[in-house]
Amino acid sequence: MTLDAHITDPSLASVIETSRAAREQAQTLIDLISQATAANANGPIPADALTDISKQQKLLNTSLAHLRGLHRAAHFRARETKSQTAEARHEVDVLHLQLQNLYYEQHHLEGEIAACEGFDHTYQLLPLIPVEEFLAQHPEHADADENALMVARINHERAEREALEQQRQELQKRKQKLIAENKKRRDDLANLDRDLEKFIDAAKPIQKMFEKVV
C-alpha cells in the first residue's frame, strides 16, 4: 500500500501531488542539462538547449514556490490541529474526571440507599393491625402501593391511638370527679360524726336527770 492511500486530507494530498510534480520537473531539468552537456562536451551549450533548460528551471521554481506555500499552510494547519487536539484532550480529561465523580457519587448513593433499606425504622416496630384486617376495614386502599399502604396503616394507628387517648382523658376526668365527690361525702360523714358526738355529749346531763327521776 502506497503512502497516498493513507492520506485522505485534500490539502495534504495537494502537497504530495505538487511534490511529485516538482520532483519530476527536477529530474527533467537534470536530464536536459546532462543531455546538453554530453552533446557539447567540448563546446558551449546551444541556445535552444539553454532555452529549454531555462523554461524547465522556471517551471521547477514555480512548482517549488507553490510547494513552499503548501508546506507553510500545512504547517499552520498542523499546528492548529495540534492545538485543537490538545483542547479536545483536555475536554475529554475533564469529562472523564466528571464521569469518575459521578461513578463515585453513584456508589456512595447506592451505599446510602442500602443503609436506609437495612435500617430498622421506628414505624416497623409499631403494633399495627395486620394488612388483611386493615384492608377489610378500609378497602379503598386495596390498590395502593407498599409505601402508600404503610402510610395509611400508620395514620389509622395514630387515629386509633388519639381516639383511645381522648377516651382515657375523659375517663380520667370522670375518675377525678368521682374522687372529688367521694372525698366530699367522706368529709360530710366526718362532719356528721362530729356533730353526732357533740349532740351525744350535750345530751348526757339530760340523760342523768332522767335516771335520777326514775
Side-chain angles (χ1 to χ4, degrees):
M1 185 176 292
T2 61
L3 179 62
D4 297 353
H6 297 283
I7 298 176
T8 58
D9 185 81
S11 60
L12 294 179
S14 178
V15 172
I16 297 298
E17 182 63 28
T18 304
S19 176
R20 183 183 295 111
R23 183 180 59 186
E24 292 175 354
Q25 292 166 1
Q27 186 62 47
T28 300
L29 179 59
I30 292 173
D31 293 341
L32 288 175
I33 294 174
S34 297
Q35 292 173 4
T37 303
N40 301 275
N42 298 322
I45 298 175
D48 55 347
L50 291 175
T51 301
D52 292 339
I53 292 173
S54 177
K55 290 180 180 180
Q56 188 63 34
Q57 187 173 5
K58 290 179 180 179
L59 186 61
L60 177 60
N61 290 337
T62 301
S63 297
L64 291 175
H66 186 206
L67 183 61
R68 292 190 188 94
L70 292 176
H71 179 267
R72 187 181 301 107
H75 176 72
F76 289 151
R77 282 193 299 271
R79 186 164 59 184
E80 182 180 358
T81 301
K82 184 177 180 181
S83 176
Q84 293 174 352
T85 302
E87 293 178 359
R89 183 182 294 109
H90 176 69
E91 292 179 0
V92 171
D93 292 341
V94 171
L95 291 176
H96 180 71
L97 180 60
Q98 292 176 350
L99 181 61
Q100 293 298 322
N101 291 336
L102 288 176
Y103 281 145
Y104 174 79
E105 184 176 357
Q106 178 185 3
H107 180 72
H108 175 71
L109 292 176
E110 288 175 349
E112 292 292 330
I113 292 173
C116 291
E117 291 177 347
F119 181 74
D120 293 333
H121 296 278
T122 305
Y123 75 85
Q124 295 177 335
L125 305 177
L126 293 175
L128 303 177
I129 63 174
V131 177
E132 295 78 7
E133 183 179 349
F134 174 79
L135 292 177
Q137 299 179 9
H138 303 278
E140 66 274 12
H141 296 290
D143 297 330
D145 58 28
E146 183 178 357
N147 291 333
L149 182 59
M150 178 58 71
V151 172
R153 292 175 65 197
I154 292 175
N155 289 334
H156 172 266
E157 181 67 21
R158 182 182 64 183
E160 291 292 326
R161 293 194 180 194
E162 289 177 350
L164 290 175
E165 177 62 19
Q166 185 175 0
Q167 293 178 10
R168 188 192 68 80
Q169 292 179 1
E170 292 178 354
L171 291 175
Q172 185 69 18
K173 291 179 181 179
R174 290 177 59 187
K175 177 182 177 182
Q176 295 298 328
K177 182 178 180 182
L178 290 175
I179 291 175
E181 291 177 354
N182 289 335
K183 184 176 183 302
K184 184 176 183 302
R185 289 174 182 174
R186 286 197 301 269
D187 293 342
D188 292 342
L189 288 175
N191 292 333
L192 182 60
D193 288 341
R194 285 194 295 271
D195 292 340
L196 182 59
E197 291 177 357
K198 290 179 180 179
F199 176 78
I200 292 174
D201 291 340
K204 285 181 179 180
I206 299 175
Q207 184 178 2
K208 290 179 179 181
M209 291 178 59
F210 279 111
E211 291 175 350
K212 289 180 179 181
V213 172
V214 174

